[in-house]
Amino acid sequence: MNYLLVNLISWLIFFFGAAFPILIVLRVIGLTGFMKVTRFENYHTFYYNMNPSVKIMLGIVVTVVAALTIWWIGAILTVVVLFTYLTLKNGKSKFITGFFLTMITIIGTTWAFAPYTPYVILQEAFHNTTITGIWTWPSYFTVMGYQKELSIQGLIYGFQISMRFTAISLISLVLVMTSTPSQVLRAINKIGMPVSITFSLVVAMRTIPRIFEYIDTSVKIQYMRGLGSNAPKTIRPFYMLVGAINAIVPVIVFLVRGAKDTAISADTRAFRAYRTRTHMQPVSIGRADKTAIMMSVLAMFVTAMVVIMGFGRAIPYL
Amino acid sequence: MKAVEIKNLQFFYAGNPDPSIIVDSLIIEDGETVLITGRSGGGKSTLVNCITGIIPHINHGDLEGNVEVYGIKVAETPLSKLSSEVGIVLQNPESQVMNYRVEEEVAFGPENLCLTPEEIRSRVREAVEITGISEIQDRETYTLSGGEMQRVAIAAVLSMRPKLLILDEPTSNIDPEGTAQVFEILKQLKEEKTLIIVEHKVERVLPFVDRIIVVDEGKVFLDIKSHELIHHVDKMLEIGIEVPIHFIYARKNGIDSEDLPTIREKLAEINALPPLHARAPDSNILMKASVKVTADNNKQLVNGSIELQKQHILALMGRNGAGKSTFLKGVMGFLETDLKAEVELVLDGKDISREHIIDRGREIAFVPQNFDLTLISKSVETEVAYSIRKRKIKDYKVRVEEMMDMFSLTEFRDRDPLSLSLGQRRRVAMASAIASGVKIIMLDEPTSGQDYFHKEILGRELIRLKENGFSIIIVTHDARFVYKYADRMVVFDHGEKVLEGLPEEVFLKSGKFSVIPPSDYLLRGYNELLIG
């Protein structure tokens, strides 16, 4: 094949892994999409009725299962958790955002592993000495740590690895979307963490959606002031990244100025008056929690069984 | 009983050789309602912080003298203990409210006091009842309007049951309807607590307060009973404090009354009514904008249109949530992607409805309420030059100098914009927004939280911009500012345009849409158009 064409295609493949997830973030999810999946909304379904401690436990169980079992169990878990997004407030919109976040994780992780993983690892992982190359990189790509060829086994391996993260990230967002910081504070305090540490987590949970909102405003104003005005229209969305980087300092300064008010507001309302706090709604375990605990126990039992049956995280990887 | 007793107070901020506040002696009695007013930077916040204990417990510096609240020495008592004696409601409820649910926010303080769940519930119930927020008790705090949020902030402090309640500009970010609700609460509280209200707008709080303390240049400049205000109007004006306009006219014309209708009658008799404000004559339509926005659930958020004339100042008013900001976002192409929007935007005869934000920005500039978010450069000069360079405009250096000169920024050219004062930062934001040669400038709530002095400066800047060929749209709740500076105004309600015209015409009917006419207007009389 023409040398120039090989180079062009190789660089396109190279950039695909980095640019496509960014494009999904910029064009499909957007900063307001991130805001929606990092913010609590009041509702009444299963997750909302659960005790935050149980939700944290659920997250740990999902992490353990995804880490210990064969990749397709992680994949099944991902699909299950993603479909439970439909039970959330504005479930359809959150399901779509969750779906694209999962896509980003899969593409990003696959591209982070597929070209780099040495053949010897792939041979061990797949219990097969034959590696099927689908694209040969220009020789100088080895400088970046690339293998000689992009292989089907490399892509599959990368995809399988991504299944260790997808379910975990989806279940983590469930905690943020369905628990108020105050509920989380109550839950974490129960396990003895100091109030001042948990309070900083609470403020962070409240602040993260605002960060997306403020960055969004700042970037749009930069667009109005000409950011990307001389670039071709197809490249303009990528200027959002430039704008977001530019926005970091003013957004931080703005938040820090507000943070002082938050500190005053907390301290003038007796925060840290005592080492512990009491709560208006004592932490209780309801029906939803019992169901979740039973499901978690079942999941751990099944995990143990499948690992014993040879479907654990072992070689061969298939 | 003394609620507050201050003796020989001096406070120096770290690194500042001059004291920011000096008070030899000040006593506020239990049950008094006191207004503390003065220009921004005059020392009123420092004084209040010394009473609440924010100084020296959070803001550090050298504190001399003694401040006692209900006999407790503030400097020697931890804030957590003081919080049951003195509570403070800050200016911006958004940064004060830290919980997601209203009920949790109100319960936050009592929970810190380690009270029993029953006691916490009882205090929450009491605070919610006083502030009238029981209907929004289960709502997320970020969905509340400014007025609702401020009432939640008050409830959150009331649940601590403080004997002394301090409110720092409690209505500066909210609409007249929200303001009325807050004052309704204060009316109730006046009977039960000692109140200190820090406010720029004397007129708003005058009916509620017993006493007025004016702080200027770090000292108590004036300490009077509220009914004595009319005799001190000149002194207040001298240091740039907004006072009721009818007091000024009464004083000027020797009328011995505080009652607005009486003053108006007497002024009419001697033909001394205030003059009508000059409005720009009608000119060509520069921009026609029609915006229809529908939410995901098919709920209509905005359906309205406006026309902006060349070299005019057009004010958009209406209660919080009336659709003004959504309308502006539609004009600029800032709307969230999950909203369905139909926008028709014709500028100078050219349809730019389908143009990207970048291209609309060639003609339209926008300065948001949080204008600090727009300051992204390391120096004032590069900030002002940003849009000129991005748009590759020739002779950019000359243009930058012109802009800096127009906004009096030349002396700060090398300073970091974020390190400047509030007024200076706003000027940088405005200069950098319009520098690339836009025709229209839109400002969202530019008067919010500004004192009389800074609002006057802003007003003069807008007039100068208008004279230099710009057309301006401002969103504001400040009726007095609109009456003085706008050429036309539009009122939005429930997403629709309900009134439009000259301020004089619109204020005749705007009351039912929560846009209360200012006292300047009332002083001229409701039938002024006929008279004029």
Side-chain angles (χ1 to χ4, degrees):
Chain A
M1 204 187 282
N2 181 300
Y3 176 77
L4 201 67
L5 195 62
V6 169
N7 270 277
L8 185 71
I9 294 172
S10 296
W11 280 105
L12 277 176
I13 298 171
F14 171 82
F15 280 116
F16 173 77
F20 193 64
I22 293 171
L23 198 66
I24 291 178
V25 170
L26 301 181
R27 299 293 290 185
V28 186
I29 300 173
L31 290 165
T32 45
F34 275 109
M35 196 172 83
K36 282 174 192 159
V37 291
T38 51
R39 189 166 71 179
F40 169 79
E41 282 182 291
N42 212 0
Y43 209 43
H44 50 73
T45 49
F46 180 71
Y47 280 129
Y48 297 88
N49 294 329
M50 274 168 68
N51 185 313
S53 318
V54 178
K55 279 182 241 182
I56 293 169
M57 185 202 72
L58 208 58
I60 295 169
V61 169
V62 168
T63 308
V64 170
V65 174
L68 291 183
T69 58
I70 194 160
W71 70 271
W72 49 261
I73 293 181
I76 292 170
L77 213 51
T78 304
V79 173
V80 171
V81 177
L82 184 58
F83 270 96
T84 64
Y85 271 42
L86 290 169
T87 67
L88 302 175
K89 191 175 185 185
N90 298 320
K92 199 175 139 196
S93 149
K94 283 176 182 145
F95 174 83
I96 293 168
T97 307
F99 172 77
F100 281 110
L101 282 173
T102 307
M103 292 298 294
I104 291 169
T105 313
I106 292 172
I107 295 169
T109 312
T110 305
W111 245 243
F113 279 89
Y116 299 100
T117 311
Y119 295 151
V120 63
I121 291 178
L122 295 178
Q123 282 164 345
E124 267 194 53
F126 290 95
H127 220 56
N128 190 348
T129 50
T130 315
I131 298 296
T132 317
I134 53 170
W135 183 254
T136 307
W137 305 109
S139 57
Y140 62 86
F141 265 49
T142 53
V143 175
M144 298 190 289
Y146 272 40
Q147 298 301 301
K148 200 176 144 197
E149 288 182 327
L150 177 67
S151 65
I152 289 179
Q153 285 81 3
L155 288 169
I156 293 171
Y157 182 72
F159 172 75
Q160 290 171 350
I161 299 257
S162 71
M163 290 301 125
R164 305 243 172 262
F165 310 124
T166 45
I168 300 166
S169 54
L170 287 174
I171 199 75
S172 309
L173 288 175
V174 167
L175 175 72
V176 177
M177 285 189 285
T178 62
S179 319
T180 66
S182 176
Q183 289 167 342
V184 177
L185 187 96
R186 247 181 288 165
I188 305 178
N189 282 349
K190 273 267 171 192
I191 56 172
M193 200 178 276
V195 173
S196 48
I197 294 176
T198 48
F199 183 69
S200 56
L201 290 174
V202 166
V203 173
M205 275 177 78
R206 183 79 173 88
T207 309
I208 287 167
R210 284 182 183 168
I211 293 174
F212 289 121
E213 189 186 337
Y214 295 150
I215 289 181
D216 187 53
T217 304
S218 181
V219 170
K220 282 172 177 166
I221 300 277
Q222 288 175 61
Y223 274 148
M224 284 207 96
R225 290 170 62 195
L227 177 69
S229 58
N230 297 303
K233 285 191 177 173
T234 47
I235 295 177
R236 278 180 177 179
F238 289 98
Y239 275 87
M240 184 186 264
L241 277 182
V242 179
I245 292 165
N246 288 340
I248 289 171
V249 173
V251 167
I252 288 175
V253 171
F254 189 75
L255 287 170
V256 167
R257 284 188 176 139
K260 192 166 185 186
D261 280 355
T262 308
I264 291 171
S265 168
D267 283 347
T268 54
R269 284 191 284 159
F271 181 62
R272 287 180 300 180
Y274 301 94
R275 289 184 68 188
T276 56
R277 302 172 80 230
T278 51
H279 300 287
M280 184 169 65
Q281 306 287 355
V283 181
S284 61
I285 299 288
R287 224 171 77 186
D289 301 304
K290 286 174 188 162
T291 312
I293 292 168
M294 275 165 59
M295 282 166 63
S296 301
V297 171
L298 188 69
M300 292 305 285
F301 178 72
V302 171
T303 302
M305 293 305 291
V306 295
V307 170
I308 292 166
M309 286 164 69
F311 292 108
R313 193 179 173 186
I315 301 294
Y317 222 66
L318 288 173
Chain B
M1 189 181 182
K2 288 167 191 164
V4 179
E5 185 173 14
I6 298 176
K7 274 184 196 158
N8 305 319
L9 171 72
Q10 282 200 47
F11 180 73
F12 302 76
Y13 282 103
N16 193 345
D18 302 316
S20 297
I21 190 82
I22 304 174
V23 179
D24 296 332
S25 174
L26 180 70
I27 290 169
I28 294 172
E29 294 292 342
D30 182 42
E32 262 193 305
T33 300
V34 179
L35 165 68
I36 296 184
T37 190
R39 271 198 309 185
S40 294
K44 57 186 188 304
S45 293
T46 308
L47 174 61
V48 163
N49 287 344
C50 290
I51 298 170
T52 57
I54 292 169
I55 291 174
H57 297 294
I58 296 180
N59 290 351
H60 304 292
D62 291 332
L63 180 71
E64 292 170 15
N66 187 36
V67 180
E68 287 184 14
V69 174
Y70 287 100
I72 297 172
K73 287 188 183 218
V74 170
E76 293 164 19
T77 313
L79 267 183
S80 53
K81 201 168 175 196
L82 276 173
S83 59
S84 297
E85 305 295 328
V86 52
I88 181 162
V89 178
L90 302 171
Q91 186 181 347
N92 184 2
E94 206 181 317
S95 56
Q96 184 174 3
V97 169
M98 63 189 87
N99 286 282
Y100 265 114
R101 286 182 57 240
V102 168
E103 196 180 58
E104 288 176 345
E105 182 64 25
V106 181
F108 181 81
E111 286 179 342
N112 289 331
L113 291 173
C114 279
L115 301 172
T116 61
E118 293 73 35
E119 175 65 14
I120 299 170
R121 272 196 288 275
S122 153
R123 285 186 176 214
V124 168
R125 206 165 35 242
E126 179 187 282
V128 160
E129 267 171 29
I130 293 171
T131 49
I133 55 168
S134 52
E135 281 177 17
I136 56 168
Q137 208 169 333
D138 290 325
R139 289 249 308 267
E140 298 94 339
T141 48
Y142 61 83
T143 64
L144 304 177
S145 71
E148 288 169 337
M149 184 97 85
Q150 192 60 284
R151 281 189 288 155
V152 171
I154 295 173
V157 175
L158 287 181
S159 65
M160 301 294 292
R161 291 187 180 156
K163 294 178 198 154
L164 166 65
L165 180 63
I166 300 178
L167 300 107
D168 189 358
E169 295 185 42
T171 61
S172 69
N173 290 310
I174 55 181
D175 62 6
E177 194 175 61
T179 302
Q181 289 164 351
V182 169
F183 283 137
E184 202 53 45
I185 298 168
L186 295 187
K187 240 190 226 177
Q188 286 184 56
L189 293 176
K190 190 172 153 55
E191 307 303 318
E192 301 161 17
K193 292 186 189 297
T194 307
L195 295 179
I196 296 179
I197 305 167
V198 181
E199 183 63 78
H200 292 305
K201 294 160 195 156
V202 177
E203 186 173 347
R204 275 191 186 180
V205 288
L206 200 56
F208 306 100
V209 297
D210 311 316
R211 181 174 164 193
I212 299 170
I213 296 173
V214 181
V215 180
D216 193 51
E217 294 182 351
K219 289 176 184 160
V220 174
F221 176 79
L222 209 59
D223 185 354
I224 53 171
K225 295 282 173 201
S226 60
H227 61 82
E228 296 168 350
L229 174 67
I230 198 158
H231 305 296
H232 298 273
V233 165
D234 300 337
K235 278 187 181 174
M236 302 276 271
L237 285 174
E238 193 184 301
I239 58 164
I241 295 173
E242 189 171 16
V243 287
I245 193 91
H246 54 287
F247 280 21
I248 301 171
Y249 273 85
R251 184 108 177 110
K252 204 160 81 180
N253 293 283
I255 300 168
D256 187 21
S257 172
E258 293 175 25
D259 177 48
L260 192 142
T262 311
I263 296 169
R264 184 175 64 220
E265 210 174 286
K266 298 217 167 153
L267 287 174
E269 278 171 19
I270 55 172
N271 211 12
L273 282 168
L276 273 171
H277 288 294
R279 313 282 176 211
D282 281 346
S283 62
N284 295 335
I285 304 292
L286 177 63
M287 184 179 80
K288 278 185 183 176
S290 170
V291 178
K292 187 178 175 185
V293 183
T294 318
D296 231 6
N297 55 5
N298 286 329
K299 188 187 170 197
Q300 186 177 287
L301 302 177
V302 168
N303 186 9
S305 58
I306 58 162
E307 289 181 348
L308 174 66
Q309 298 183 31
K310 274 184 184 165
Q311 289 185 272
H312 264 222
I313 298 175
L314 173 68
L316 305 189
M317 297 192 79
R319 64 188 101 210
N320 286 120
K324 310 176 297 289
S325 296
T326 309
F327 185 89
L328 276 199
K329 280 183 178 179
V331 171
M332 294 175 304
F334 276 23
L335 290 167
E336 288 86 11
T337 46
D338 57 350
L339 295 175
K340 289 174 223 157
E342 291 169 37
V343 178
E344 281 179 40
L345 193 59
V346 179
L347 200 142
D348 238 354
K350 187 186 165 199
D351 189 344
I352 58 166
S353 314
R354 294 185 180 280
E355 288 193 355
H356 188 266
I357 300 173
I358 296 173
D359 303 307
R360 288 186 197 187
R362 286 181 209 282
E363 314 287 350
I364 307 168
F366 175 63
V367 181
Q369 189 178 353
N370 303 329
F371 49 77
D372 281 347
L373 296 174
T374 70
L375 305 175
I376 54 167
S377 303
K378 285 179 184 162
S379 72
V380 170
E381 188 174 1
T382 49
E383 190 69 62
V384 176
Y386 182 90
S387 58
I388 304 175
R389 293 172 79 165
K390 290 287 173 199
R391 302 238 182 243
K392 300 208 160 141
I393 292 166
K394 286 178 188 170
D395 300 329
Y396 88 88
K397 284 189 176 169
V398 178
R399 193 69 168 271
V400 170
E401 292 304 323
E402 278 174 13
M403 282 295 133
M404 289 204 297
D405 189 44
M406 185 191 280
F407 286 93
S408 311
L409 294 167
T410 314
E411 60 179 303
F412 312 114
R413 66 187 323 136
D414 296 321
R415 293 268 302 274
D416 186 328
L418 289 168
S419 70
L420 300 175
S421 72
L422 185 81
Q424 290 160 349
R425 295 203 302 276
R426 196 198 61 237
R427 295 212 301 272
V428 177
M430 282 174 70
S432 55
I434 65 170
S436 67
V438 297
K439 294 173 182 157
I440 296 167
I441 175 165
M442 298 187 191
L443 299 111
D444 193 9
E445 301 278 4
T447 53
S448 176
Q450 305 269 323
D451 63 10
Y452 175 69
F453 177 75
H454 285 97
K455 273 192 291 188
E456 284 299 295
I457 292 174
L458 172 70
R460 285 198 290 270
E461 279 167 5
L462 294 185
I463 295 290
R464 205 173 62 232
L465 286 172
K466 187 172 82 166
E467 285 165 359
N468 281 318
F470 292 95
S471 305
I472 298 156
I473 298 177
I474 54 166
V475 169
T476 181
H477 291 305
D478 195 318
R480 192 168 182 179
F481 188 85
V482 170
Y483 183 59
K484 192 164 180 184
Y485 293 108
D487 297 307
R488 292 182 73 78
M489 68 181 277
V490 166
V491 175
F492 274 85
D493 196 53
H494 293 100
E496 294 188 0
K497 181 175 75 178
V498 286
L499 293 172
E500 182 177 22
L502 295 168
E504 292 83 356
E505 296 167 351
V506 173
F507 282 133
L508 281 171
K509 303 170 194 161
S510 66
K512 61 182 168 186
F513 302 110
S514 187
V515 176
I516 314 296
S519 59
D520 324 28
Y521 172 80
L522 298 174
L523 194 59
R524 273 212 56 92
Y526 286 106
N527 58 348
E528 67 181 293
L529 283 176
L530 299 173
I531 297 165

